[in-house]
Amino acid sequence: MRGVRRRSAEEMALLEGLRVSENGFGPNRKPHGFAAKLRVCGADWSRLDLDNFGVWDCVFEGCDFSDSQVKVFHMGEGMVFSEYRGCDFSGLRGANVASGRGRFVGCSFRGARLRGFNADSMSMVDCDFTGAVVRSCVFWGAPLVMDLERDPSLPVANEFKGNDFSGADLVSCSFRRGVDLDAQKLPEADYYARVRHAPTALEHGREVVKSWAGLVECRVGERILDAIEREIQTYQFDQFFDSRPYEFTDISLWQHLKKVLEQA
Protein backbone atom coordinates (compact mmCIF):
# COMPACT_ATOMS: atom_id res chain seq x y z
CA MET A 1 0.00 0.00 0.00
CA ARG A 2 1.34 3.45 -0.95
CA GLY A 3 2.65 5.35 2.03
CA VAL A 4 3.18 2.29 4.23
CA ARG A 5 6.68 1.79 5.57
CA ARG A 6 7.10 -1.90 6.22
CA ARG A 7 9.42 -3.24 8.86
CA SER A 8 13.03 -4.02 8.10
CA ALA A 9 14.47 -7.47 8.80
CA GLU A 10 16.06 -6.07 11.95
CA GLU A 11 12.74 -4.65 13.16
CA MET A 12 10.87 -7.87 12.43
CA ALA A 13 13.50 -9.85 14.36
CA LEU A 14 12.56 -7.86 17.48
CA LEU A 15 8.98 -9.17 17.42
CA GLU A 16 8.62 -11.72 20.20
CA GLY A 17 8.03 -15.20 18.81
CA LEU A 18 8.83 -14.41 15.18
CA ARG A 19 11.98 -16.01 13.84
CA VAL A 20 13.46 -14.20 10.88
CA SER A 21 16.09 -15.76 8.61
CA GLU A 22 17.95 -14.73 5.50
CA ASN A 23 16.68 -15.85 2.13
CA GLY A 24 19.22 -18.18 0.55
CA PHE A 25 17.87 -17.70 -2.97
CA GLY A 26 19.58 -14.37 -3.55
CA PRO A 27 20.89 -11.21 -1.87
CA ASN A 28 17.90 -9.10 -2.95
CA ARG A 29 15.23 -11.50 -1.77
CA LYS A 30 13.12 -10.69 1.27
CA PRO A 31 13.67 -12.73 4.45
CA HIS A 32 11.69 -15.71 5.68
CA GLY A 33 9.58 -15.60 8.83
CA PHE A 34 8.53 -18.51 11.03
CA ALA A 35 6.41 -18.87 14.17
CA ALA A 36 5.93 -22.09 16.14
CA LYS A 37 3.87 -23.20 19.16
CA LEU A 38 2.72 -19.71 20.09
CA ARG A 39 -0.42 -18.59 21.92
CA VAL A 40 -0.52 -14.86 21.27
CA CYS A 41 -3.15 -12.26 22.17
CA GLY A 42 -3.20 -8.67 20.95
CA ALA A 43 0.26 -8.61 19.40
CA ASP A 44 1.25 -6.02 16.79
CA TRP A 45 2.83 -7.87 13.87
CA SER A 46 1.74 -5.30 11.31
CA ARG A 47 3.82 -4.19 8.32
CA LEU A 48 5.67 -7.48 7.90
CA ASP A 49 7.75 -7.72 4.73
CA LEU A 50 8.49 -11.39 4.04
CA ASP A 51 9.09 -13.73 1.15
CA ASN A 52 7.66 -16.67 3.12
CA PHE A 53 5.77 -16.71 6.39
CA GLY A 54 5.40 -20.16 7.97
CA VAL A 55 3.21 -20.86 11.00
CA TRP A 56 3.15 -24.11 12.98
CA ASP A 57 0.76 -24.96 15.79
CA CYS A 58 -0.10 -21.38 16.74
CA VAL A 59 -3.14 -19.50 17.98
CA PHE A 60 -3.32 -15.76 17.32
CA GLU A 61 -6.15 -13.83 18.94
CA GLY A 62 -6.83 -10.15 18.25
CA CYS A 63 -3.45 -9.74 16.56
CA ASP A 64 -2.55 -7.12 13.97
CA PHE A 65 -1.02 -8.26 10.67
CA SER A 66 -2.28 -5.25 8.72
CA ASP A 67 -0.41 -3.64 5.83
CA SER A 68 1.94 -6.60 5.54
CA GLN A 69 3.48 -7.91 2.35
CA VAL A 70 3.93 -11.70 2.28
CA LYS A 71 4.64 -13.58 -0.90
CA VAL A 72 3.71 -17.05 0.41
CA PHE A 73 1.78 -17.56 3.63
CA HIS A 74 1.95 -21.11 5.03
CA MET A 75 -0.89 -20.62 7.51
CA GLY A 76 -0.56 -23.99 9.28
CA GLU A 77 2.48 -26.15 8.61
CA GLY A 78 3.34 -29.64 9.81
CA MET A 79 -0.18 -31.11 9.37
CA VAL A 80 -1.25 -29.14 12.47
CA PHE A 81 -4.03 -26.55 12.50
CA SER A 82 -3.21 -22.98 13.42
CA GLU A 83 -5.98 -20.57 14.33
CA TYR A 84 -6.52 -16.85 13.84
CA ARG A 85 -9.34 -15.30 15.90
CA GLY A 86 -10.37 -11.71 15.39
CA CYS A 87 -7.11 -10.83 13.66
CA ASP A 88 -6.57 -7.87 11.34
CA PHE A 89 -5.15 -8.69 7.89
CA SER A 90 -6.44 -5.48 6.31
CA GLY A 91 -4.22 -4.12 3.56
CA LEU A 92 -2.36 -7.44 3.27
CA ARG A 93 -0.52 -7.65 -0.05
CA GLY A 94 0.55 -10.57 -2.20
CA ALA A 95 -0.39 -13.43 0.11
CA ASN A 96 -0.46 -16.77 -1.66
CA VAL A 97 -1.89 -19.41 0.69
CA ALA A 98 -0.97 -22.60 -1.09
CA SER A 99 -0.65 -25.07 1.73
CA GLY A 100 -1.32 -25.74 5.36
CA ARG A 101 -4.19 -26.15 7.79
CA GLY A 102 -5.79 -23.09 9.27
CA ARG A 103 -8.91 -21.59 10.77
CA PHE A 104 -9.83 -17.92 10.46
CA VAL A 105 -12.68 -16.66 12.66
CA GLY A 106 -13.90 -13.06 12.66
CA CYS A 107 -10.85 -11.77 10.79
CA SER A 108 -10.65 -8.66 8.63
CA PHE A 109 -9.19 -8.75 5.14
CA ARG A 110 -10.54 -5.31 4.26
CA GLY A 111 -8.67 -3.71 1.38
CA ALA A 112 -6.33 -6.68 1.01
CA ARG A 113 -4.86 -7.84 -2.28
CA LEU A 114 -4.89 -11.63 -2.22
CA ARG A 115 -3.85 -14.08 -4.89
CA GLY A 116 -3.78 -17.85 -5.13
CA PHE A 117 -5.49 -18.95 -1.90
CA ASN A 118 -5.78 -22.68 -2.52
CA ALA A 119 -5.61 -24.54 0.79
CA ASP A 120 -8.13 -27.37 0.97
CA SER A 121 -7.96 -27.65 4.78
CA MET A 122 -8.91 -24.08 5.64
CA SER A 123 -11.98 -22.99 7.58
CA MET A 124 -13.21 -19.41 7.38
CA VAL A 125 -16.02 -18.02 9.54
CA ASP A 126 -17.41 -14.45 9.75
CA CYS A 127 -14.51 -12.84 7.90
CA ASP A 128 -14.79 -9.45 6.17
CA PHE A 129 -13.38 -8.90 2.67
CA THR A 130 -14.82 -5.42 2.04
CA GLY A 131 -12.70 -3.57 -0.51
CA ALA A 132 -10.43 -6.56 -1.09
CA VAL A 133 -9.31 -7.77 -4.50
CA VAL A 134 -9.28 -11.56 -4.34
CA ARG A 135 -7.70 -13.07 -7.44
CA SER A 136 -7.42 -16.69 -8.66
CA CYS A 137 -8.39 -18.14 -5.28
CA VAL A 138 -10.09 -21.46 -4.52
CA PHE A 139 -12.14 -21.87 -1.35
CA TRP A 140 -12.86 -25.46 -0.33
CA GLY A 141 -15.85 -26.82 1.56
CA ALA A 142 -14.00 -30.03 2.36
CA PRO A 143 -10.47 -31.45 2.09
CA LEU A 144 -9.46 -33.52 -0.90
CA VAL A 145 -10.28 -37.22 -0.68
CA MET A 146 -6.61 -38.19 -0.87
CA ASP A 147 -5.87 -35.93 2.13
CA LEU A 148 -8.68 -37.53 4.13
CA GLU A 149 -7.37 -40.99 3.27
CA ARG A 150 -3.84 -40.03 4.26
CA ASP A 151 -4.93 -38.51 7.58
CA PRO A 152 -8.13 -39.97 9.09
CA SER A 153 -7.98 -37.39 11.92
CA LEU A 154 -8.63 -34.58 9.45
CA PRO A 155 -12.16 -33.09 9.71
CA VAL A 156 -14.27 -34.33 6.79
CA ALA A 157 -15.56 -30.80 6.14
CA ASN A 158 -14.27 -27.26 6.50
CA GLU A 159 -16.41 -24.68 8.28
CA PHE A 160 -17.07 -21.94 5.76
CA LYS A 161 -19.88 -19.54 6.66
CA GLY A 162 -20.78 -15.96 7.49
CA ASN A 163 -18.08 -14.45 5.29
CA ASP A 164 -18.77 -11.06 3.71
CA PHE A 165 -17.51 -10.88 0.13
CA SER A 166 -20.24 -8.43 -0.92
CA GLY A 167 -17.84 -5.50 -1.20
CA ALA A 168 -14.96 -7.52 -2.64
CA ASP A 169 -13.78 -8.01 -6.20
CA LEU A 170 -13.63 -11.78 -6.76
CA VAL A 171 -11.53 -12.26 -9.90
CA SER A 172 -11.47 -15.80 -11.34
CA CYS A 173 -12.26 -17.33 -7.95
CA SER A 174 -13.89 -20.70 -7.27
CA PHE A 175 -15.77 -22.36 -4.45
CA ARG A 176 -15.41 -26.16 -4.43
CA ARG A 177 -16.47 -29.33 -2.63
CA GLY A 178 -19.74 -28.15 -1.25
CA VAL A 179 -19.21 -24.61 0.02
CA ASP A 180 -22.65 -23.31 1.08
CA LEU A 181 -22.87 -20.08 -0.91
CA ASP A 182 -26.13 -19.13 0.78
CA ALA A 183 -24.13 -18.88 4.02
CA GLN A 184 -21.90 -16.15 2.53
CA LYS A 185 -22.54 -12.61 1.29
CA LEU A 186 -21.44 -12.51 -2.34
CA PRO A 187 -20.84 -9.55 -4.67
CA GLU A 188 -23.27 -8.74 -7.46
CA ALA A 189 -22.36 -7.40 -10.90
CA ASP A 190 -23.29 -7.92 -14.57
CA TYR A 191 -20.18 -10.03 -15.08
CA TYR A 192 -20.95 -12.40 -12.18
CA ALA A 193 -23.41 -15.28 -12.42
CA ARG A 194 -24.89 -17.25 -9.54
CA VAL A 195 -25.46 -20.72 -10.95
CA ARG A 196 -27.54 -22.39 -8.24
CA HIS A 197 -28.35 -25.62 -10.06
CA ALA A 198 -25.21 -26.20 -12.09
CA PRO A 199 -26.01 -29.62 -13.66
CA THR A 200 -29.36 -28.39 -15.01
CA ALA A 201 -27.89 -25.02 -15.96
CA LEU A 202 -25.16 -26.79 -17.92
CA GLU A 203 -27.73 -28.64 -20.03
CA HIS A 204 -29.69 -25.46 -20.76
CA GLY A 205 -26.50 -23.54 -21.45
CA ARG A 206 -25.35 -26.11 -24.01
CA GLU A 207 -28.56 -25.53 -25.97
CA VAL A 208 -28.02 -21.78 -25.96
CA VAL A 209 -24.40 -21.97 -27.05
CA LYS A 210 -25.25 -24.48 -29.75
CA SER A 211 -27.45 -21.80 -31.31
CA TRP A 212 -24.40 -19.55 -31.61
CA ALA A 213 -22.81 -21.80 -34.27
CA GLY A 214 -20.73 -19.70 -36.64
CA LEU A 215 -20.27 -16.86 -34.14
CA VAL A 216 -16.98 -16.04 -32.43
CA GLU A 217 -18.78 -16.25 -29.10
CA CYS A 218 -19.64 -19.91 -29.66
CA ARG A 219 -16.17 -21.00 -28.57
CA VAL A 220 -16.23 -18.51 -25.69
CA GLY A 221 -19.54 -19.96 -24.49
CA GLU A 222 -18.18 -23.50 -24.73
CA ARG A 223 -15.22 -22.53 -22.55
CA ILE A 224 -17.56 -21.05 -19.93
CA LEU A 225 -19.68 -24.20 -19.84
CA ASP A 226 -16.56 -26.38 -19.68
CA ALA A 227 -15.47 -24.39 -16.61
CA ILE A 228 -18.86 -24.93 -14.96
CA GLU A 229 -18.63 -28.65 -15.72
CA ARG A 230 -15.18 -28.84 -14.11
CA GLU A 231 -16.58 -27.28 -10.95
CA ILE A 232 -19.41 -29.83 -10.92
CA GLN A 233 -16.73 -32.53 -10.90
CA THR A 234 -15.47 -31.02 -7.62
CA TYR A 235 -18.95 -31.57 -6.11
CA GLN A 236 -19.84 -27.88 -6.22
CA PHE A 237 -23.37 -27.76 -7.60
CA ASP A 238 -24.15 -24.20 -6.47
CA GLN A 239 -21.60 -22.01 -8.22
CA PHE A 240 -20.38 -18.42 -8.36
CA PHE A 241 -18.97 -17.55 -11.77
CA ASP A 242 -16.87 -14.61 -13.01
CA SER A 243 -17.18 -14.04 -16.77
CA ARG A 244 -14.46 -11.40 -17.12
CA PRO A 245 -11.70 -13.77 -18.26
CA TYR A 246 -13.94 -14.67 -21.21
CA GLU A 247 -14.13 -12.03 -23.94
CA PHE A 248 -17.50 -11.34 -25.53
CA THR A 249 -17.61 -8.98 -28.50
CA ASP A 250 -21.41 -8.97 -28.15
CA ILE A 251 -22.15 -8.52 -24.44
CA SER A 252 -25.84 -9.21 -25.01
CA LEU A 253 -24.96 -12.87 -25.66
CA TRP A 254 -23.34 -13.14 -22.22
CA GLN A 255 -26.35 -11.45 -20.65
CA HIS A 256 -28.66 -13.99 -22.28
CA LEU A 257 -26.48 -16.93 -21.23
CA LYS A 258 -26.26 -15.57 -17.70
CA LYS A 259 -30.03 -15.34 -17.48
CA VAL A 260 -30.42 -18.95 -18.65
CA LEU A 261 -27.78 -20.22 -16.20
CA GLU A 262 -29.25 -18.34 -13.25
CA GLN A 263 -32.84 -19.35 -13.94
CA ALA A 264 -32.15 -23.06 -14.46
Side-chain angles (χ1 to χ4, degrees), residues 6-7 12 16 55 86 101 115 138 150 172 187 197 246:
R6 295 191 172 89
R7 300 180 196 254
M12 289 188 290
E16 186 176 356
V55 177
R101 298 179 180 181
R115 177 186 291 271
V138 182
R150 185 167 56 229
S172 299
H197 308 288
Y246 304 87

Side-chain angles (χ1 to χ4, degrees), residues 24-188:
F25 289 98
N28 297 321
R29 297 287 294 271
K30 295 176 181 178
H32 298 304
F34 184 68
K37 288 191 171 297
L38 298 178
R39 302 295 181 267
V40 184
C41 183
D44 181 0
W45 285 22
S46 62
R47 299 181 293 110
L48 299 178
D49 196 8
L50 297 167
D51 191 78
N52 282 272
F53 181 28
V55 177
W56 178 53
D57 192 15
C58 291
V59 176
F60 293 96
E61 186 165 359
C63 294
D64 185 358
F65 298 94
S66 64
D67 295 326
S68 293
Q69 174 125 7
V70 179
K71 185 176 180 181
V72 180
F73 179 20
H74 299 282
M75 60 176 178
E77 294 187 335
M79 299 180 69
V80 179
F81 278 89
S82 288
E83 187 161 353
Y84 307 82
R85 305 172 188 158
C87 293
D88 185 0
F89 294 93
S90 60
L92 180 65
R93 291 293 185 269
N96 183 322
V97 179
S99 66
R101 298 179 180 181
R103 179 175 171 82
F104 297 85
V105 179
C107 295
S108 172
F109 293 89
R110 296 174 69 92
R113 298 293 181 267
L114 309 175
R115 177 186 291 271
F117 269 51
N118 193 7
D120 69 300
S121 296
M122 178 178 72
S123 288
M124 190 166 280
V125 178
D126 296 336
C127 293
D128 183 3
F129 289 83
T130 302
V133 178
V134 186
R135 189 180 300 272
S136 302
C137 294
V138 182
F139 299 104
W140 297 83
L144 296 171
V145 173
M146 62 180 181
D147 290 340
L148 292 169
E149 291 174 344
R150 185 167 56 229
D151 184 1
S153 69
L154 196 62
V156 297
N158 301 323
E159 191 174 11
F160 205 96
K161 65 181 182 180
N163 301 297
D164 188 353
F165 295 100
S166 61
D169 187 5
L170 301 185
V171 184
S172 299
C173 292
S174 298
F175 297 89
R176 295 180 181 170
R177 286 186 63 79
V179 173
D180 182 357
L181 297 186
D182 285 328
Q184 328 300 325
K185 293 180 180 179
L186 297 172
E188 298 181 2

